Amino acid sequence: MTATMKALRAHRRGGPEQLVYEDAPVPYPGPGEVLVAVHAAAITFAELSWDLSWTHSDGTDRTPVIPSHEVSGTVAAVGAGVTRPTVGEEVYGLVAFDRDGAAAEYVTVPAEALAGKPRSVPHALAAALPLAALTAFQALHEYAEIKPGETVLVHGGAGGVGVYGVQLAVIAGATVIATDVGTQAPFVRNLGAGRFVDVTREQFDDVVRDVDVVLDTVGGATLERSFAALRPGGRLVTLSAPPPAGLAERYGVRASFFVVRPDSAQLGELAYLVDAGRLRPIVSRTFPVSEGRQAYESGALPRPPGKTVLIVR
Ligand SMILES: NC(=O)c1ccc[n+]([C@@H]2O[C@H](COP(=O)([O-])OP(=O)(O)OC[C@H]3O[C@@H](n4cnc5c(N)ncnc54)[C@H](OP(=O)(O)O)[C@@H]3O)[C@@H](O)[C@H]2O)c1
């Protein structure tokens, strides 16, 4: 293996205009880490605006940085102490946002943040899963503790997280009501939502009552109005900011906010669901990694639902 690779990097904090495709050193897998030969990497449009994308965990600058924190690829080498995965295995996973991402020929990832890639789909589709599908999985199963037969309201059902929220709630045996803008109705129904509320035409809290669970990917007024849509004792999980103080007590419900974490076992379960034909990864557009800057610039709406993915190999 050569000592240099091609990578998309930013040398100064900023937006997509800072991204350059250039030579960079191949990273070395430390103890517990895996060197992944990247095939595909998914981007999160907001990541360039986050502090942790530019600094180490102690707050010091870590430019030049490599973006794109969802990866699908092949294990090229493993660091000390790693017994699984092994060299040559196809893996996918989530790279923490405070370390270099996967918009490069190689990335190092802690072994526990990877799992076997779903075999039935190409790398470009596998890369679309880790962040959004893990977020939806943890929201529904760890925070909302969803049960079969319950009714779940998913706000933003056509969004990055929402597409997996709808599908995973259906897989868990729930009835799903989804909100989004009306043009997405056929797409969201096709994912399994039994009912769709077009927020450009109706106030969801006028027509939805007594749900067991709300998965809120929108925040703001949508979050605040969601409390009235829950039954007493219901559970709300929101993703963009903690819920306003006092509302959960006033409505007699439980409300949570959390930040997604890498989880190998859960990634394994998601891969199983994909291979069983029950969970569909959704990709909006693909770009060659050499056009990574254009990919990050393509975030303006409207765009088709799903992840934007960089193709590396
Ligand atoms: N806490 C965590 O660990 C975590 C993890 C992942 C994401 N997040 C956060 O979760 C949020 C959602 O992420 P995402 O990737 O799913 O975003 P996204 O792809 O933009 O999805 C949001 C969806 O909601 C729709 N929408 C906008 N306004 C709405 C409204 N008033 N009612 C219903 N639907 C509406 C959007 O439609 P349009 O596209 O037409 O606007 C879009 O389809 C972001 O704030 C993100 O930062 C948090």
Side-chain angles (χ1 to χ4, degrees):
M1 196 191 300
T2 59
T4 59
M5 64 177 183
K6 287 290 185 195
L8 186 71
R9 297 204 296 179
H11 290 261
R12 279 196 311 176
R13 186 166 180 165
E17 76 288 348
Q18 296 295 343
L19 294 170
V20 288
Y21 185 64
E22 61 181 5
D23 288 336
V26 174
Y28 186 80
E33 292 183 345
V34 173
L35 181 70
V36 178
V38 180
H39 287 251
I43 77 177
T44 298
F45 288 110
E47 70 186 85
L48 300 178
S49 67
W50 298 340
D51 285 345
L52 80 172
S53 299
W54 302 95
T55 55
H56 294 287
S57 48
D58 64 1
T60 54
D61 178 78
R62 63 176 186 83
T63 53
V65 301
I66 299 175
S68 305
H69 290 77
E70 294 163 273
V71 62
S72 185
T74 307
V75 176
V78 297
V82 176
T83 52
R84 298 270 323 262
T86 52
V87 172
E89 255 186 73
E90 293 196 316
V91 291
Y92 82 131
L94 181 59
V95 187
F97 282 91
D98 62 356
R99 54 189 293 151
D100 273 340
E105 288 180 278
Y106 295 93
V107 62
T108 55
V109 189
E112 68 266 15
L114 296 169
K117 162 191 165 290
R119 291 164 195 269
S120 58
V121 296
H123 288 284
L125 284 178
L129 286 160
L131 176 68
L134 276 179
T135 303
F137 188 97
Q138 290 169 14
L140 292 171
H141 290 285
E142 294 185 1
Y143 292 87
E145 298 179 288
I146 185 177
K147 296 178 200 62
E150 290 193 315
T151 299
V152 179
L153 172 62
V154 179
H155 288 307
V161 177
V163 296
Y164 300 113
V166 171
Q167 295 185 84
L168 291 171
V170 171
I171 289 167
T175 298
V176 176
I177 305 168
T179 67
D180 212 295
V181 297
T183 48
Q184 303 296 359
F187 171 73
V188 177
R189 283 184 186 280
N190 193 254
L191 294 176
R195 188 170 159 201
F196 180 87
V197 178
D198 176 359
V199 294
T200 63
R201 310 184 74 175
E202 298 184 284
Q203 298 273 25
F204 72 86
D205 44 336
D206 287 343
V207 292
V208 178
R209 282 273 181 272
D210 291 325
V211 300
D212 300 288
V213 169
V214 173
L215 171 53
D216 168 41
T217 75
V218 175
T222 299
L223 164 62
E224 291 184 22
R225 294 194 346 249
S226 291
F227 285 86
L230 281 164
R231 68 162 169 82
R235 291 92 71 201
L236 176 147
V237 186
T238 187
L239 300 177
S240 43
L247 278 183
E249 293 74 17
R250 192 192 311 163
Y251 284 90
V253 301
R254 197 172 82 207
S256 330
F257 165 78
F258 75 104
V259 175
V260 64
R261 55 163 221 290
D263 187 303
S264 182
Q266 292 176 357
L267 284 168
E269 198 160 337
L270 292 166
Y272 169 81
L273 291 171
V274 172
D275 287 338
R278 301 180 67 195
L279 180 67
R280 184 150 64 97
I282 312 288
V283 169
S284 165
R285 293 182 71 181
T286 62
F287 289 80
V289 65
S290 57
E291 293 172 18
R293 181 194 294 190
Q294 291 91 315
Y296 276 87
E297 285 168 346
S298 74
L301 296 171
R303 59 174 188 274
K307 273 277 169 179
T308 297
V309 175
L310 304 175
I311 305 300
V312 179
R313 279 183 174 78

PDB file of all heavy atoms in Angstrom, residues 50 131 135 155-162 179-181 199 217-218 222 239-240 257-260 301 303, ligand 1:
ATOM      1  N   TRP A  50     -20.739  22.213  12.148  1.00  0.00           N
ATOM      2  CA  TRP A  50     -20.630  21.752  13.538  1.00  0.00           C
ATOM      3  C   TRP A  50     -19.206  21.955  14.063  1.00  0.00           C
ATOM      4  O   TRP A  50     -18.224  21.592  13.395  1.00  0.00           O
ATOM      5  CB  TRP A  50     -20.967  20.275  13.651  1.00  0.00           C
ATOM      6  CG  TRP A  50     -22.371  19.925  13.247  1.00  0.00           C
ATOM      7  CD1 TRP A  50     -23.450  20.756  13.157  1.00  0.00           C
ATOM      8  CD2 TRP A  50     -22.842  18.626  12.866  1.00  0.00           C
ATOM      9  NE1 TRP A  50     -24.563  20.055  12.753  1.00  0.00           N
ATOM     10  CE2 TRP A  50     -24.220  18.743  12.574  1.00  0.00           C
ATOM     11  CE3 TRP A  50     -22.237  17.365  12.758  1.00  0.00           C
ATOM     12  CZ2 TRP A  50     -24.997  17.662  12.169  1.00  0.00           C
ATOM     13  CZ3 TRP A  50     -23.016  16.295  12.355  1.00  0.00           C
ATOM     14  CH2 TRP A  50     -24.382  16.446  12.078  1.00  0.00           C
ATOM     15  N   LEU A 131     -25.802   6.597   9.914  1.00  0.00           N
ATOM     16  CA  LEU A 131     -26.204   7.690  10.802  1.00  0.00           C
ATOM     17  C   LEU A 131     -27.726   7.742  10.958  1.00  0.00           C
ATOM     18  O   LEU A 131     -28.259   7.721  12.074  1.00  0.00           O
ATOM     19  CB  LEU A 131     -25.677   9.024  10.263  1.00  0.00           C
ATOM     20  CG  LEU A 131     -26.099  10.255  11.051  1.00  0.00           C
ATOM     21  CD1 LEU A 131     -25.444  10.263  12.420  1.00  0.00           C
ATOM     22  CD2 LEU A 131     -25.746  11.527  10.307  1.00  0.00           C
ATOM     23  N   THR A 135     -29.914   6.367  14.128  1.00  0.00           N
ATOM     24  CA  THR A 135     -30.654   7.384  14.890  1.00  0.00           C
ATOM     25  C   THR A 135     -32.105   6.948  15.063  1.00  0.00           C
ATOM     26  O   THR A 135     -32.657   6.986  16.175  1.00  0.00           O
ATOM     27  CB  THR A 135     -30.607   8.747  14.163  1.00  0.00           C
ATOM     28  OG1 THR A 135     -29.246   9.123  13.978  1.00  0.00           O
ATOM     29  CG2 THR A 135     -31.320   9.817  14.962  1.00  0.00           C
ATOM     30  N   HIS A 155     -42.565  12.727  12.357  1.00  0.00           N
ATOM     31  CA  HIS A 155     -42.504  14.019  11.664  1.00  0.00           C
ATOM     32  C   HIS A 155     -41.332  14.028  10.692  1.00  0.00           C
ATOM     33  O   HIS A 155     -40.214  13.639  11.052  1.00  0.00           O
ATOM     34  CB  HIS A 155     -42.304  15.159  12.662  1.00  0.00           C
ATOM     35  CG  HIS A 155     -43.523  15.448  13.476  1.00  0.00           C
ATOM     36  ND1 HIS A 155     -44.756  15.695  12.916  1.00  0.00           N
ATOM     37  CD2 HIS A 155     -43.701  15.521  14.816  1.00  0.00           C
ATOM     38  CE1 HIS A 155     -45.633  15.920  13.864  1.00  0.00           C
ATOM     39  NE2 HIS A 155     -45.022  15.807  15.030  1.00  0.00           N
ATOM     40  N   GLY A 156     -41.583  14.530   9.474  1.00  0.00           N
ATOM     41  CA  GLY A 156     -40.527  14.543   8.462  1.00  0.00           C
ATOM     42  C   GLY A 156     -40.279  13.143   7.921  1.00  0.00           C
ATOM     43  O   GLY A 156     -39.134  12.717   7.775  1.00  0.00           O
ATOM     44  N   GLY A 157     -41.354  12.440   7.586  1.00  0.00           N
ATOM     45  CA  GLY A 157     -41.259  11.029   7.172  1.00  0.00           C
ATOM     46  C   GLY A 157     -40.480  10.809   5.890  1.00  0.00           C
ATOM     47  O   GLY A 157     -40.056   9.683   5.606  1.00  0.00           O
ATOM     48  N   ALA A 158     -40.272  11.870   5.098  1.00  0.00           N
ATOM     49  CA  ALA A 158     -39.485  11.717   3.866  1.00  0.00           C
ATOM     50  C   ALA A 158     -38.049  12.178   4.071  1.00  0.00           C
ATOM     51  O   ALA A 158     -37.252  12.175   3.131  1.00  0.00           O
ATOM     52  CB  ALA A 158     -40.111  12.520   2.722  1.00  0.00           C
ATOM     53  N   GLY A 159     -37.690  12.562   5.302  1.00  0.00           N
ATOM     54  CA  GLY A 159     -36.356  13.098   5.560  1.00  0.00           C
ATOM     55  C   GLY A 159     -35.330  12.010   5.804  1.00  0.00           C
ATOM     56  O   GLY A 159     -35.649  10.812   5.814  1.00  0.00           O
ATOM     57  N   GLY A 160     -34.092  12.456   6.013  1.00  0.00           N
ATOM     58  CA  GLY A 160     -32.981  11.519   6.192  1.00  0.00           C
ATOM     59  C   GLY A 160     -33.266  10.485   7.272  1.00  0.00           C
ATOM     60  O   GLY A 160     -33.139   9.276   7.055  1.00  0.00           O
ATOM     61  N   VAL A 161     -33.670  10.931   8.456  1.00  0.00           N
ATOM     62  CA  VAL A 161     -33.972  10.014   9.555  1.00  0.00           C
ATOM     63  C   VAL A 161     -35.379   9.442   9.396  1.00  0.00           C
ATOM     64  O   VAL A 161     -35.635   8.265   9.672  1.00  0.00           O
ATOM     65  CB  VAL A 161     -33.842  10.740  10.916  1.00  0.00           C
ATOM     66  CG1 VAL A 161     -34.231   9.815  12.060  1.00  0.00           C
ATOM     67  CG2 VAL A 161     -32.409  11.248  11.109  1.00  0.00           C
ATOM     68  N   GLY A 162     -36.300  10.297   8.922  1.00  0.00           N
ATOM     69  CA  GLY A 162     -37.709   9.895   8.851  1.00  0.00           C
ATOM     70  C   GLY A 162     -37.949   8.658   8.000  1.00  0.00           C
ATOM     71  O   GLY A 162     -38.785   7.814   8.337  1.00  0.00           O
ATOM     72  N   THR A 179     -45.795  12.832   8.863  1.00  0.00           N
ATOM     73  CA  THR A 179     -46.009  14.175   8.330  1.00  0.00           C
ATOM     74  C   THR A 179     -44.850  14.530   7.405  1.00  0.00           C
ATOM     75  O   THR A 179     -43.736  14.031   7.555  1.00  0.00           O
ATOM     76  CB  THR A 179     -46.060  15.251   9.439  1.00  0.00           C
ATOM     77  OG1 THR A 179     -44.755  15.358  10.038  1.00  0.00           O
ATOM     78  CG2 THR A 179     -47.081  14.917  10.500  1.00  0.00           C
ATOM     79  N   ASP A 180     -45.132  15.359   6.445  1.00  0.00           N
ATOM     80  CA  ASP A 180     -44.093  15.961   5.592  1.00  0.00           C
ATOM     81  C   ASP A 180     -44.845  16.850   4.608  1.00  0.00           C
ATOM     82  O   ASP A 180     -46.049  17.076   4.775  1.00  0.00           O
ATOM     83  CB  ASP A 180     -43.238  14.911   4.859  1.00  0.00           C
ATOM     84  CG  ASP A 180     -41.788  15.402   4.656  1.00  0.00           C
ATOM     85  OD1 ASP A 180     -41.604  16.390   3.918  1.00  0.00           O
ATOM     86  OD2 ASP A 180     -40.867  14.832   5.246  1.00  0.00           O
ATOM     87  N   VAL A 181     -44.140  17.342   3.600  1.00  0.00           N
ATOM     88  CA  VAL A 181     -44.843  18.149   2.604  1.00  0.00           C
ATOM     89  C   VAL A 181     -45.508  17.216   1.589  1.00  0.00           C
ATOM     90  O   VAL A 181     -45.031  16.115   1.334  1.00  0.00           O
ATOM     91  CB  VAL A 181     -43.910  19.159   1.908  1.00  0.00           C
ATOM     92  CG1 VAL A 181     -43.363  20.146   2.917  1.00  0.00           C
ATOM     93  CG2 VAL A 181     -42.787  18.452   1.190  1.00  0.00           C
ATOM     94  N   VAL A 199     -48.278  18.770   5.771  1.00  0.00           N
ATOM     95  CA  VAL A 199     -48.214  19.927   6.669  1.00  0.00           C
ATOM     96  C   VAL A 199     -48.425  21.254   5.944  1.00  0.00           C
ATOM     97  O   VAL A 199     -48.599  22.284   6.593  1.00  0.00           O
ATOM     98  CB  VAL A 199     -46.870  19.971   7.447  1.00  0.00           C
ATOM     99  CG1 VAL A 199     -46.762  18.791   8.390  1.00  0.00           C
ATOM    100  CG2 VAL A 199     -45.680  20.040   6.497  1.00  0.00           C
ATOM    101  N   THR A 217     -38.376  14.753  13.906  1.00  0.00           N
ATOM    102  CA  THR A 217     -37.117  15.099  13.244  1.00  0.00           C
ATOM    103  C   THR A 217     -37.122  16.559  12.786  1.00  0.00           C
ATOM    104  O   THR A 217     -36.224  16.973  12.064  1.00  0.00           O
ATOM    105  CB  THR A 217     -36.850  14.191  12.010  1.00  0.00           C
ATOM    106  OG1 THR A 217     -37.703  14.609  10.937  1.00  0.00           O
ATOM    107  CG2 THR A 217     -37.091  12.730  12.309  1.00  0.00           C
ATOM    108  N   VAL A 218     -38.145  17.323  13.182  1.00  0.00           N
ATOM    109  CA  VAL A 218     -38.307  18.690  12.663  1.00  0.00           C
ATOM    110  C   VAL A 218     -37.970  19.744  13.720  1.00  0.00           C
ATOM    111  O   VAL A 218     -37.258  20.712  13.456  1.00  0.00           O
ATOM    112  CB  VAL A 218     -39.744  18.884  12.119  1.00  0.00           C
ATOM    113  CG1 VAL A 218     -39.972  20.330  11.678  1.00  0.00           C
ATOM    114  CG2 VAL A 218     -40.001  17.936  10.950  1.00  0.00           C
ATOM    115  N   THR A 222     -43.136  22.366  15.590  1.00  0.00           N
ATOM    116  CA  THR A 222     -43.612  20.988  15.406  1.00  0.00           C
ATOM    117  C   THR A 222     -43.403  20.195  16.693  1.00  0.00           C
ATOM    118  O   THR A 222     -44.283  19.454  17.134  1.00  0.00           O
ATOM    119  CB  THR A 222     -42.858  20.327  14.228  1.00  0.00           C
ATOM    120  OG1 THR A 222     -43.142  21.077  13.049  1.00  0.00           O
ATOM    121  CG2 THR A 222     -43.276  18.881  14.034  1.00  0.00           C
ATOM    122  N   LEU A 239     -34.932  15.218  17.959  1.00  0.00           N
ATOM    123  CA  LEU A 239     -33.548  15.028  17.533  1.00  0.00           C
ATOM    124  C   LEU A 239     -32.740  16.299  17.369  1.00  0.00           C
ATOM    125  O   LEU A 239     -31.513  16.248  17.335  1.00  0.00           O
ATOM    126  CB  LEU A 239     -33.524  14.281  16.194  1.00  0.00           C
ATOM    127  CG  LEU A 239     -34.172  12.898  16.199  1.00  0.00           C
ATOM    128  CD1 LEU A 239     -34.149  12.304  14.795  1.00  0.00           C
ATOM    129  CD2 LEU A 239     -33.459  11.978  17.181  1.00  0.00           C
ATOM    130  N   SER A 240     -33.396  17.470  17.208  1.00  0.00           N
ATOM    131  CA  SER A 240     -32.570  18.641  16.897  1.00  0.00           C
ATOM    132  C   SER A 240     -32.168  19.443  18.119  1.00  0.00           C
ATOM    133  O   SER A 240     -31.129  20.093  18.102  1.00  0.00           O
ATOM    134  CB  SER A 240     -33.234  19.524  15.852  1.00  0.00           C
ATOM    135  OG  SER A 240     -34.576  19.682  16.105  1.00  0.00           O
ATOM    136  N   PHE A 257     -34.351  13.719  24.300  1.00  0.00           N
ATOM    137  CA  PHE A 257     -33.446  14.147  23.222  1.00  0.00           C
ATOM    138  C   PHE A 257     -32.163  13.359  23.424  1.00  0.00           C
ATOM    139  O   PHE A 257     -31.743  13.111  24.558  1.00  0.00           O
ATOM    140  CB  PHE A 257     -33.166  15.652  23.345  1.00  0.00           C
ATOM    141  CG  PHE A 257     -31.998  16.108  22.521  1.00  0.00           C
ATOM    142  CD1 PHE A 257     -32.129  16.298  21.153  1.00  0.00           C
ATOM    143  CD2 PHE A 257     -30.748  16.334  23.113  1.00  0.00           C
ATOM    144  CE1 PHE A 257     -31.041  16.708  20.398  1.00  0.00           C
ATOM    145  CE2 PHE A 257     -29.663  16.738  22.350  1.00  0.00           C
ATOM    146  CZ  PHE A 257     -29.812  16.922  20.985  1.00  0.00           C
ATOM    147  N   PHE A 258     -31.528  12.937  22.366  1.00  0.00           N
ATOM    148  CA  PHE A 258     -30.277  12.188  22.509  1.00  0.00           C
ATOM    149  C   PHE A 258     -29.431  12.422  21.266  1.00  0.00           C
ATOM    150  O   PHE A 258     -29.916  12.957  20.258  1.00  0.00           O
ATOM    151  CB  PHE A 258     -30.556  10.680  22.682  1.00  0.00           C
ATOM    152  CG  PHE A 258     -30.951  10.006  21.401  1.00  0.00           C
ATOM    153  CD1 PHE A 258     -30.046   9.208  20.710  1.00  0.00           C
ATOM    154  CD2 PHE A 258     -32.217  10.181  20.850  1.00  0.00           C
ATOM    155  CE1 PHE A 258     -30.398   8.605  19.508  1.00  0.00           C
ATOM    156  CE2 PHE A 258     -32.577   9.592  19.651  1.00  0.00           C
ATOM    157  CZ  PHE A 258     -31.674   8.794  18.980  1.00  0.00           C
ATOM    158  N   VAL A 259     -28.178  12.032  21.341  1.00  0.00           N
ATOM    159  CA  VAL A 259     -27.287  12.090  20.180  1.00  0.00           C
ATOM    160  C   VAL A 259     -26.897  10.656  19.828  1.00  0.00           C
ATOM    161  O   VAL A 259     -26.497   9.879  20.703  1.00  0.00           O
ATOM    162  CB  VAL A 259     -26.038  12.947  20.474  1.00  0.00           C
ATOM    163  CG1 VAL A 259     -25.052  12.894  19.308  1.00  0.00           C
ATOM    164  CG2 VAL A 259     -26.459  14.392  20.732  1.00  0.00           C
ATOM    165  N   VAL A 260     -27.045  10.325  18.561  1.00  0.00           N
ATOM    166  CA  VAL A 260     -26.791   8.962  18.097  1.00  0.00           C
ATOM    167  C   VAL A 260     -25.358   8.538  18.413  1.00  0.00           C
ATOM    168  O   VAL A 260     -24.443   9.349  18.404  1.00  0.00           O
ATOM    169  CB  VAL A 260     -27.078   8.857  16.578  1.00  0.00           C
ATOM    170  CG1 VAL A 260     -26.132   9.726  15.773  1.00  0.00           C
ATOM    171  CG2 VAL A 260     -27.026   7.419  16.098  1.00  0.00           C
ATOM    172  N   LEU A 301     -32.592  22.771  -1.231  1.00  0.00           N
ATOM    173  CA  LEU A 301     -33.865  22.114  -1.545  1.00  0.00           C
ATOM    174  C   LEU A 301     -34.469  22.756  -2.787  1.00  0.00           C
ATOM    175  O   LEU A 301     -34.156  23.892  -3.088  1.00  0.00           O
ATOM    176  CB  LEU A 301     -34.807  22.265  -0.360  1.00  0.00           C
ATOM    177  CG  LEU A 301     -34.332  21.562   0.914  1.00  0.00           C
ATOM    178  CD1 LEU A 301     -35.223  21.964   2.083  1.00  0.00           C
ATOM    179  CD2 LEU A 301     -34.340  20.053   0.722  1.00  0.00           C
ATOM    180  N   ARG A 303     -34.693  18.576  -3.220  1.00  0.00           N
ATOM    181  CA  ARG A 303     -33.911  17.486  -3.771  1.00  0.00           C
ATOM    182  C   ARG A 303     -34.645  16.193  -3.436  1.00  0.00           C
ATOM    183  O   ARG A 303     -35.450  16.169  -2.492  1.00  0.00           O
ATOM    184  CB  ARG A 303     -32.485  17.471  -3.202  1.00  0.00           C
ATOM    185  CG  ARG A 303     -32.406  17.326  -1.712  1.00  0.00           C
ATOM    186  CD  ARG A 303     -30.974  17.165  -1.206  1.00  0.00           C
ATOM    187  NE  ARG A 303     -30.984  16.848   0.204  1.00  0.00           N
ATOM    188  CZ  ARG A 303     -31.027  17.721   1.181  1.00  0.00           C
ATOM    189  NH1 ARG A 303     -31.038  19.008   0.908  1.00  0.00           N
ATOM    190  NH2 ARG A 303     -31.068  17.339   2.439  1.00  0.00           N
TER     191      ARG A 303
HETATM  192  N1  LIG B   1     -29.680  13.796  17.678  1.00  0.00           N
HETATM  193  C1  LIG B   1     -29.084  13.042  16.748  1.00  0.00           C
HETATM  194  O1  LIG B   1     -28.323  12.126  17.027  1.00  0.00           O
HETATM  195  C2  LIG B   1     -29.384  13.320  15.309  1.00  0.00           C
HETATM  196  C3  LIG B   1     -29.015  12.409  14.308  1.00  0.00           C
HETATM  197  C4  LIG B   1     -29.371  12.681  12.979  1.00  0.00           C
HETATM  198  C5  LIG B   1     -30.047  13.875  12.693  1.00  0.00           C
HETATM  199  N2  LIG B   1     -30.334  14.743  13.700  1.00  0.00           N
HETATM  200  C6  LIG B   1     -31.080  15.979  13.457  1.00  0.00           C
HETATM  201  O2  LIG B   1     -32.396  15.588  13.115  1.00  0.00           O
HETATM  202  C7  LIG B   1     -32.948  16.559  12.253  1.00  0.00           C
HETATM  203  C8  LIG B   1     -33.485  15.859  11.012  1.00  0.00           C
HETATM  204  O3  LIG B   1     -32.399  15.318  10.271  1.00  0.00           O
HETATM  205  P1  LIG B   1     -32.680  14.731   8.832  1.00  0.00           P
HETATM  206  O4  LIG B   1     -31.372  14.331   8.274  1.00  0.00           O
HETATM  207  O5  LIG B   1     -33.771  13.704   8.897  1.00  0.00           O
HETATM  208  O6  LIG B   1     -33.225  16.045   8.090  1.00  0.00           O
HETATM  209  P2  LIG B   1     -33.957  16.181   6.705  1.00  0.00           P
HETATM  210  O7  LIG B   1     -33.460  15.153   5.753  1.00  0.00           O
HETATM  211  O8  LIG B   1     -33.921  17.620   6.324  1.00  0.00           O
HETATM  212  O9  LIG B   1     -35.470  15.760   7.050  1.00  0.00           O
HETATM  213  C9  LIG B   1     -36.435  16.598   7.573  1.00  0.00           C
HETATM  214  C10 LIG B   1     -37.733  16.315   6.818  1.00  0.00           C
HETATM  215  O10 LIG B   1     -38.790  17.039   7.443  1.00  0.00           O
HETATM  216  C11 LIG B   1     -39.511  17.737   6.434  1.00  0.00           C
HETATM  217  N3  LIG B   1     -40.131  18.896   7.053  1.00  0.00           N
HETATM  218  C12 LIG B   1     -39.697  20.188   7.096  1.00  0.00           C
HETATM  219  N4  LIG B   1     -40.557  20.921   7.820  1.00  0.00           N
HETATM  220  C13 LIG B   1     -41.544  20.084   8.247  1.00  0.00           C
HETATM  221  C14 LIG B   1     -42.704  20.266   9.046  1.00  0.00           C
HETATM  222  N5  LIG B   1     -43.040  21.450   9.551  1.00  0.00           N
HETATM  223  N6  LIG B   1     -43.470  19.179   9.288  1.00  0.00           N
HETATM  224  C15 LIG B   1     -43.160  17.976   8.781  1.00  0.00           C
HETATM  225  N7  LIG B   1     -42.081  17.743   8.012  1.00  0.00           N
HETATM  226  C16 LIG B   1     -41.271  18.799   7.754  1.00  0.00           C
HETATM  227  C17 LIG B   1     -38.472  18.086   5.418  1.00  0.00           C
HETATM  228  O11 LIG B   1     -39.070  18.429   4.187  1.00  0.00           O
HETATM  229  P3  LIG B   1     -38.248  19.421   3.199  1.00  0.00           P
HETATM  230  O12 LIG B   1     -37.022  18.660   2.816  1.00  0.00           O
HETATM  231  O13 LIG B   1     -39.190  19.641   2.072  1.00  0.00           O
HETATM  232  O14 LIG B   1     -37.956  20.640   4.036  1.00  0.00           O
HETATM  233  C18 LIG B   1     -37.681  16.774   5.360  1.00  0.00           C
HETATM  234  O15 LIG B   1     -38.320  15.820   4.539  1.00  0.00           O
HETATM  235  C19 LIG B   1     -31.849  17.583  11.989  1.00  0.00           C
HETATM  236  O16 LIG B   1     -32.019  18.641  12.877  1.00  0.00           O
HETATM  237  C20 LIG B   1     -30.588  16.815  12.311  1.00  0.00           C
HETATM  238  O17 LIG B   1     -29.528  17.665  12.691  1.00  0.00           O
HETATM  239  C21 LIG B   1     -30.016  14.488  14.983  1.00  0.00           C
END
